[in-house]
Amino acid sequence: MGIWFVAVVSLCISAIVSSLFNLFKKNLPPGPPSLPLIGNFIWLRRPISELEFILRRLKTRYGPLMTIRIGPRKLIFVGSHSLAHRALIQHGAIFSDRPPPPATSKVLNRPRRVISSAAYGPTWRLLRRNLTQGILHPGRVKSYSSSRQWVLSILVSRLKEAFESESSITPIDHFQYAMYCLLALLCFGDKIHETQIKAIESVHRRLLLGFRRFNVLNFCPLLGKIIFRNRWKELMRLRQEQEKSLIPLIRARIHAKQQSISNNIQENDNQQVLAYVDTLIDLQLPEENRKLEESEFVSLCSEFIAAGTHTTSTALQWIMANLVKYPYIQTKLYDEITGVLRNVQHQTIEEEDLGRMPYLKAVVLEALRRHPPVHFVLPHRVTQDIELDGYVIPGDATVNFMVADMGWDPKVWEDPMEFKPERFLGTEIGEAFDITGRREIKMMPFGAGRRICPGLALALLHLEYFVANLIWNYQWIPVEGDDVDLTEKQALTTVMKNPLRVRISPRNS
């Protein structure tokens, strides 16, 4: 007993001394006082949903570069456009790694085998290049125009049926279903049955809704597996359901591809299109010299579908909410569309027409500035100590970028909390606005630098295409007596506090 006591006390003293040494040896960015091992007491009595509100208050005191300690971890928060550009663009290679995956990620994903969390290195380059040069190549994206038309017809039909059976509709449910249909088609190359779409959607939805519940499992996994064993079992069941919904689709696509090869059928024959699964079949992982395992197919396909559905449908809801809230903006957008088409007999707006609609682009960009899909991009990890704004960012720190704050900075944007698409028109910003942030970061809803969202161009296309056609087909009207609520349910994401409910009136019928 005495030996164990001495050992434990020695380890504790060693950890405290080490923490104190690290605390003072480097000129870290400022932040609230903390204790070794424990970190900042403020986090012990605050829910994670209040994190952003607290950071915003701390930013006024400590500046746009802060250090927050949660237990032994050092988290660096960046809330400045210039600092974000210096980090992600000028020192991109150093800021392009990811923190080690948490315990829950090891259940839901094969660690470091999905693009979003893979370590910066050969495997990440291979997976990202495979996505950008394959399924997201501009020529390939154009080949999916018929898929978007099919999904648009589903969305318009569902909205019509919902409105005919109810006095008002909740569009977010229909937006999400449409995006799942579209991304599943891009992923598996076939029009998936509704029951399969619902199964995929159900798992993803429960994972999103359970994020905070499952996140507690990451703080002390060994102890948590005992204390929260039922929650661990729930997480394991969700992974099994994820595999159950995706593996049959993956196997069917691989079998169909093999049959095509054996029958010497070319991609363009029989109206075949390249699916995301097709691009994964022959990938050879460079660091292990092997092909992907089935569980890795599941993780990559799940990442592909989830990344293109939740963020796009959420952004779509915010756009339509603002167009309902401000009918004069909706009218101006509709007038632009009619001016481009010049023929009310058009049933749909073609993708080729979108390039002649600058106000449409301005509406989408303004929504992404005012309501970015997430308020923080995925955390970065620096690969070595580096100086930023006179402070040292240590190599073991996790770096977070405050996306929403950058889009709401009054030093950059006039009346930043107002919805003004006109700010993206004219010579100062206009069509030349660089949302990638290569020249200068003014907002970064898709991130920036080497880890920028690879689906940026596809997401913008989807938003413009569906917004234009939704406005072309229907007039969107607020429910009588209801004020469109543009407040957010929680700080970390832009989920609406009260889901948008509207009435729609068919146009051009």
Side-chain angles (χ1 to χ4, degrees):
M1 181 64 125
I3 296 176
W4 278 108
F5 177 77
V6 172
V8 170
V9 170
S10 300
L11 287 173
C12 290
I13 293 174
S14 175
I16 292 173
V17 171
S18 176
S19 298
L20 287 171
F21 179 71
N22 289 328
L23 183 65
F24 296 109
K25 76 172 183 177
K26 296 175 181 177
N27 183 29
L28 296 176
S34 64
L35 292 176
L37 298 181
I38 297 174
N40 300 107
F41 276 108
I42 190 172
W43 308 117
L44 300 179
R45 62 179 190 271
R46 296 283 188 172
I48 191 68
S49 59
E50 293 186 19
L51 170 63
E52 187 178 1
F53 299 125
I54 297 171
L55 288 172
R56 200 163 288 138
R57 289 198 297 268
L58 293 176
K59 182 181 171 184
T60 60
R61 180 175 180 180
Y62 297 105
L65 189 62
M66 299 177 289
T67 300
I68 303 295
R69 289 179 174 82
I70 301 180
R73 294 187 300 158
K74 292 185 287 291
L75 307 180
I76 308 297
F77 287 87
V78 179
S80 159
H81 306 79
S82 59
L83 292 178
H85 188 272
R86 207 176 307 164
L88 297 174
I89 305 299
Q90 297 177 12
H91 300 290
I94 297 175
F95 280 83
S96 291
D97 203 6
R98 291 288 192 219
T104 53
S105 180
K106 296 176 182 179
V107 174
L108 296 173
N109 299 307
R110 181 69 179 268
R112 304 282 176 149
R113 292 294 178 272
V114 292
I115 301 170
S116 57
S117 62
Y120 185 65
T123 297
W124 171 78
R125 291 189 186 93
L126 172 72
L127 295 175
R128 185 182 174 97
R129 184 170 61 248
N130 172 71
L131 178 62
T132 57
Q133 295 183 3
I135 206 77
L136 296 181
H137 187 276
R140 189 71 62 188
V141 168
K142 188 175 181 180
S143 71
Y144 289 114
S145 59
S146 60
S147 302
R148 281 182 281 276
Q149 291 174 4
W150 171 68
V151 172
L152 176 64
S153 67
I154 291 176
L155 177 56
V156 171
S157 176
R158 286 173 62 95
L159 290 172
K160 181 180 179 182
E161 290 175 5
F163 182 67
E164 288 175 348
S165 61
E166 304 175 37
S167 60
S168 63
I169 60 175
T170 305
I172 184 62
D173 298 329
H174 306 290
F175 293 163
Q176 288 177 345
Y177 179 78
M179 291 303 107
Y180 274 108
C181 287
L182 180 54
L183 270 294
L185 177 55
L186 298 183
C187 188
F188 304 112
D190 294 306
K191 297 176 181 178
I192 309 302
H193 193 273
E194 183 176 357
T195 55
Q196 294 171 304
I197 293 292
K198 291 291 187 182
I200 296 171
E201 183 180 9
S202 174
V203 175
H204 283 156
R205 187 186 296 271
R206 279 181 286 163
L207 285 171
L208 283 172
L209 293 176
F211 171 77
R212 274 191 280 175
R213 290 183 64 251
F214 295 132
N215 195 45
V216 71
L217 304 176
N218 293 318
F219 290 104
C220 187
L222 292 177
L223 185 60
K225 287 181 179 180
I226 299 174
I227 300 175
F228 302 107
R229 60 180 180 275
N230 290 333
R231 204 169 296 187
W232 273 107
K233 289 179 180 178
E234 182 185 352
L235 186 65
M236 296 291 290
R237 282 196 300 271
L238 280 176
R239 173 60 181 186
Q240 291 169 358
E241 290 182 37
Q242 192 178 59
E243 292 179 346
K244 184 179 179 180
S245 64
L246 296 180
I247 285 178
L249 300 172
I250 294 169
R251 289 176 179 174
R253 184 64 188 185
I254 293 175
H255 177 72
K257 196 68 177 176
Q258 291 171 343
Q259 288 291 103
S260 298
I261 294 173
S262 62
N263 295 331
N264 198 27
I265 299 176
Q266 299 298 316
E267 183 186 321
N268 293 330
D269 294 341
N270 299 329
Q271 296 183 334
Q272 287 196 2
V273 295
L274 185 73
Y276 184 47
V277 171
D278 300 339
T279 70
L280 302 175
I281 295 173
D282 295 321
L283 275 188
Q284 196 83 6
L285 295 178
E287 295 170 294
E288 301 173 58
N289 194 28
R290 64 170 178 85
K291 292 185 178 181
L292 293 170
E293 299 173 0
E294 193 168 65
S295 62
E296 293 166 332
F297 270 84
V298 171
S299 296
L300 285 163
C301 289
S302 180
E303 176 190 49
F304 178 80
I305 294 172
T309 53
H310 175 70
T311 52
T312 304
S313 58
T314 300
L316 195 54
Q317 178 180 226
W318 281 110
I319 294 171
M320 301 311 295
N322 278 280
L323 294 179
V324 174
K325 179 85 169 180
Y326 308 109
Y328 67 92
I329 298 178
Q330 183 178 165
T331 299
K332 187 172 180 179
L333 178 56
Y334 179 72
D335 289 344
E336 178 182 69
I337 295 171
T338 56
V340 169
L341 297 186
R342 300 181 183 279
N343 184 354
V344 296
Q345 299 304 315
H346 279 77
Q347 296 298 313
T348 60
I349 297 169
E350 304 296 335
E351 293 173 23
E352 293 75 15
D353 299 323
L354 301 177
R356 295 181 288 157
M357 300 179 184
Y359 193 69
L360 170 65
K361 296 182 185 300
V363 167
V364 171
L365 287 174
E366 176 67 348
L368 291 173
R369 180 200 67 80
R370 179 63 185 84
H371 308 283
V374 290
H375 282 197
F376 294 88
V377 292
L378 291 174
H380 292 241
R381 187 183 76 87
V382 293
T383 54
Q384 64 186 58
D385 288 8
I386 184 171
E387 184 177 309
L388 194 64
D389 201 33
Y391 298 102
V392 174
I393 310 297
D396 61 341
T398 298
V399 184
N400 300 271
F401 294 86
M402 302 172 68
V403 172
D405 271 39
M406 295 182 199
W408 301 342
D409 189 345
K411 296 178 181 178
V412 177
W413 305 96
E414 184 180 354
D415 298 326
M417 305 312 287
E418 298 297 320
F419 191 82
K420 295 181 178 180
E422 289 76 13
R423 72 174 85 241
F424 287 95
L425 299 175
T427 56
E428 184 176 352
I429 298 179
E431 295 181 5
F433 181 76
D434 179 21
I435 199 170
T436 67
R438 291 191 189 95
R439 298 190 302 269
E440 177 186 16
I441 291 178
K442 290 188 174 181
M443 66 181 200
M444 46 181 286
F446 297 99
R450 305 187 186 199
R451 286 281 187 168
I452 193 171
C453 174
L456 182 156
L458 184 66
L460 290 174
L461 171 61
H462 287 171
L463 289 174
E464 292 176 15
Y465 179 74
F466 286 103
V467 168
N469 277 287
L470 289 172
I471 294 299
W472 176 245
N473 280 276
Y474 297 109
Q475 180 182 7
W476 293 67
I477 308 167
V479 176
E480 188 174 353
D482 283 2
D483 184 36
V484 178
D485 188 355
L486 296 178
T487 57
E488 297 159 13
K489 185 176 182 180
Q490 57 192 43
L492 300 181
T493 62
T494 53
V495 177
M496 296 185 74
K497 184 176 181 179
N498 297 306
L500 175 67
R501 289 192 63 80
V502 299
R503 295 189 300 115
I504 56 176
S505 175
R507 303 184 195 257
N508 309 321
S509 57

